[in-house]
Amino acid sequence: MNTKDKINNFIKNRGSFHLFLPDGAYGRPCDNRYSIEEIRQSDSELILILDDDIHLNFFGDLVLHEKEHELSISEFKKFYFKKNGRIERVYDYGEVFFSNF
C-alpha cells in the first residue's frame, strides 16, 4: 500500500482532525478541526490539501505511523506549510500529526 492509500484508509470514516505541526498545534487543539480534501502524490512529493486553503507539501522518503486516533508523518527532508497559496512555514525535521481524539 502506498502513502496515499494509507492516508486515505486512515481518514475514511473519521471526518475532521486536529492538526499538529512540528512546532505545535495549528489553531486551537479542541476548537479547530480540518478535513483532508485531496491527496496528490508523485515520486518526489506528497501534497495534502485541507479545507481552509491549507496545503501540506512533503518531500523525501516519508514514514507514516498510525495509532487508533492519530496519524503521524515524519522523516521528511522538507515540509512546506502553505496557507492561501503562500508558504507560511518551512520545516526540515519533526513530525506532523493528525488527531481525531
Side-chain angles (χ1 to χ4, degrees):
M1 188 181 304
N2 66 30
T3 301
K4 182 178 177 179
D5 292 338
K6 288 179 184 178
I7 295 169
N8 273 322
N9 189 51
F10 179 77
I11 64 174
K12 182 177 59 179
N13 302 321
R14 284 196 167 94
S16 60
F17 301 89
H18 303 289
L19 175 61
F20 295 88
L21 301 174
D23 55 0
Y26 181 72
R28 300 175 88 185
C30 291
D31 294 336
N32 296 91
R33 295 180 68 89
Y34 303 93
S35 297
I36 298 173
E37 296 181 344
E38 185 178 348
I39 302 169
R40 299 179 189 163
Q41 185 175 21
S42 70
D43 290 340
S44 61
E45 183 178 16
L46 173 71
I47 302 171
L48 302 179
I49 301 173
L50 283 59
D51 56 344
D52 204 25
D53 200 17
I54 296 171
H55 289 214
L56 309 178
N57 297 62
F58 297 92
F59 300 89
D61 296 323
L62 306 176
V63 174
L64 274 65
H65 292 282
E66 183 179 340
K67 296 179 185 174
E68 185 176 344
H69 298 285
E70 183 177 277
L71 176 73
S72 68
I73 301 173
S74 62
E75 302 300 321
F76 45 81
K77 290 187 180 183
K78 285 282 185 200
F79 163 52
Y80 296 105
F81 177 84
K82 297 180 181 180
K83 174 91 169 130
N84 299 321
R86 296 182 52 213
I87 296 175
E88 298 280 325
R89 301 176 193 175
V90 178
Y91 302 92
D92 58 5
Y93 66 91
E95 291 182 286
V96 174
F97 290 89
F98 297 93
S99 177
N100 73 337
F101 61 85

